[in-house]
Amino acid sequence: MVEDEIIIAIDLKQRLESLGHDILDTALNGNDAIKKTRETNPDLVLMDIQLNGPIDGIEAAQQIQKLFKIPFIYLTGSHDNKIWERAQQTEPAGYITKPFDETEIQNAIELATLPKQD
């Protein structure tokens, strides 16, 4: 999970765990996300689109997808059209809009982790 707002990260972690998901690690910025993905090899990455630091969530997700072929779901509170268009080009497995609830989180995760059919 990649979220730079500590309170949201803690809340999301608790919600995910209450839904039965294991959280391998939490990253606060894009570079840390790439490093921790390499170290933990998760099945799925939840990525905040707008992160503090030299790379945003979209760029971090692109690199994670390219390097590790791991699906990702964007977390976003943004309604900016340019950001939305950039995010769509990365072909995420889903989106969760802030503020989110458990049903939205679970549905996005289930869709993102469905086996791919040819």
Side-chain angles (χ1 to χ4, degrees):
M1 174 177 59
V2 187
E3 173 60 65
D4 61 352
E5 294 182 44
I6 300 297
I7 293 173
I8 293 174
I10 291 168
D11 177 55
L12 183 57
K13 181 178 188 285
Q14 290 172 344
R15 289 178 190 227
L16 289 165
E17 289 174 338
S18 75
L19 291 167
H21 299 288
D22 295 323
I23 309 304
L24 300 178
D25 213 335
T26 301
L28 301 175
N29 62 60
N31 288 326
D32 199 27
I34 295 164
K35 177 183 174 220
K36 290 183 178 193
T37 300
R38 178 177 289 113
E39 293 170 355
T40 61
N41 193 33
D43 296 327
L44 178 69
V45 174
L46 299 182
M47 176 73 69
D48 186 11
I49 286 179
Q50 295 180 303
L51 295 172
N52 293 318
I55 65 172
D56 66 7
I58 296 171
E59 187 175 337
Q62 285 175 313
Q63 290 185 36
I64 288 170
Q65 176 64 8
K66 181 180 176 183
L67 294 170
F68 311 110
K69 306 291 187 242
I70 296 171
F72 58 93
I73 296 172
Y74 283 127
L75 306 171
T76 184
S78 175
H79 300 287
D80 180 282
N81 285 337
K82 287 185 180 185
I83 292 172
W84 183 252
E85 288 172 10
R86 274 186 65 219
Q88 286 178 317
Q89 292 174 0
T90 64
E91 299 180 9
Y95 295 90
I96 299 173
T97 305
K98 297 176 188 178
F100 39 75
D101 62 34
E102 284 84 1
T103 302
E104 183 178 14
I105 294 167
Q106 188 62 30
N107 289 344
I109 290 171
E110 286 177 12
L111 284 173
T113 57
L114 285 173
K116 302 286 186 228
Q117 296 182 6
D118 294 329

